[in-house]
Amino acid sequence: MSRKKQQANGFALFMRDMQTDLREQGRSVPMRDMPVLAGPKWAKLPAMEKAMYNARAKAEKRGGVGSEVMYVSPRQGVMDCTGELLSERRDLAVELEERRHRERAMIKASLTSGSAVMLTNFFLIDIQSLCEISDKPHARYQPCEIALVDFTLHSGICRTFHRFIAPGPLPLGYRYEAQRCSEATHEIPISGFDQAMDDYRQLVWEVESFISPEGSRDIPALFASRDNALRVEWCLEWLASKAGIRNRLDRVYEVEALLCELSSHTDGRGPTIHQAKDFLGTTVYDHSMGTRYTLCVV
């Protein structure tokens, strides 16, 4: 009788990530030796980061593959009129909602209990693009500007980060669209902009240093507006690819979901996502004294 495979816990995931980082640094450490190296770091890890790992472990347990016999769909091998296999057709809207559900669970699990959440640092991010390149199955972008805000409920905006990004050459046929987008939004020149940063490795390092000044191995989650989260996620992956390194900025959650969970965290009654989105987009408080309102996520 085969022994049941042991499910990973938060510490096991932490060791796995740490082992990957060590391997990228040229150090090969077997997993049996990792507890000695990872134990002290895990003990000093902030409660919010531990909660993230524990939430990831729970999510893996729920999504783990069992020993059941795989069900074969009657659509297997059948194609639609475009030649796409019906069995491989994906409902992107359903996938997006499932992802949002998982992310809200992760956010909820990460919030510090009681009033201590007031001192938690949340990082808000937005990345502007010269235009959206839509000639591929999935959207691509030309990142040209990045902004981050370090925010706590107690102090408001604590720190800000801003850089212009060299987007590279525009694809053929997109110059007019990029110019139109620039004039309507950020007004960044679409070419020859001398403030644009093309040292992508340095840029990624600066972003990571802003988010984790003490050099923590685990990078906190980032929050972007619901309309921009997927674009921000894609652009961060693009930056890592340009820098030739692994993307560690791979947790981008919707700030509207954060607002809902924070509201529920205080009195148990949170707004709906659409109410949160309307609230974040309001201009009522833009010129009120004593407020520190960030424009980078709306």
Side-chain angles (χ1 to χ4, degrees), residues 84-101:
E84 180 183 7
L85 288 170
L86 294 181
S87 60
E88 296 182 2
R89 180 183 290 172
R90 299 159 56 205
D91 191 327
L92 297 181
V94 171
E95 288 185 8
L96 182 57
E97 285 306 310
E98 290 176 348
R99 167 181 167 160
R100 285 170 171 164
H101 181 76

Side-chain angles (χ1 to χ4, degrees), residues 14 28 45 60 65 89 105 112 120 130 142 152 157 192 225 239 241 244 256 262 279 297:
F14 178 79
S28 180
L45 204 65
E60 284 196 10
V65 180
R89 180 183 290 172
T112 308
T120 300
L130 288 183
Q142 297 283 128
T152 70
I157 297 175
S225 71
L239 277 175
S241 175
E256 290 86 348
L262 285 172
F279 176 78
V297 296

Side-chain angles (χ1 to χ4, degrees), residues 104-204:
R104 285 200 58 171
M106 296 282 283
I107 294 170
K108 183 176 182 179
S110 71
L111 295 180
T112 308
S113 60
S115 60
V117 73
M118 297 290 292
L119 301 177
T120 300
N121 294 84
F122 299 103
F123 295 93
L124 313 182
I125 184 172
D126 191 28
I127 299 180
Q128 292 291 329
S129 172
L130 288 183
C131 62
E132 179 177 325
I133 313 301
S134 57
D135 60 349
K136 300 292 182 182
H138 302 287
R140 295 183 295 127
Y141 303 92
Q142 297 283 128
C144 61
E145 184 180 23
I146 182 171
L148 292 103
V149 166
D150 179 2
F151 177 89
T152 70
L153 296 175
H154 177 267
S155 303
I157 297 175
C158 306
R159 298 178 299 134
T160 62
F161 177 93
H162 176 264
R163 296 288 186 276
F164 293 109
I165 307 170
L170 280 167
L172 187 64
Y174 278 88
R175 187 173 184 82
Y176 171 78
E177 177 62 23
Q179 188 63 49
R180 186 196 64 80
C181 179
S182 173
E183 293 172 354
T185 55
H186 45 68
E187 298 186 348
I188 296 173
I190 64 173
S191 62
F193 187 39
D194 58 5
Q195 296 184 45
M197 190 171 181
D198 60 1
D199 187 341
Y200 304 110
R201 183 179 286 267
Q202 175 68 19
L203 177 56
V204 172

Side-chain angles (χ1 to χ4, degrees), residues 6 19 36 53 60 105 127 131 146 155 184 206 245 283 294 297:
Q6 184 178 3
Q19 185 186 46
V36 176
Y53 275 105
E60 284 196 10
I127 299 180
C131 62
I146 182 171
S155 303
E206 290 182 7
I245 59 176
T283 59
T294 175
V297 296

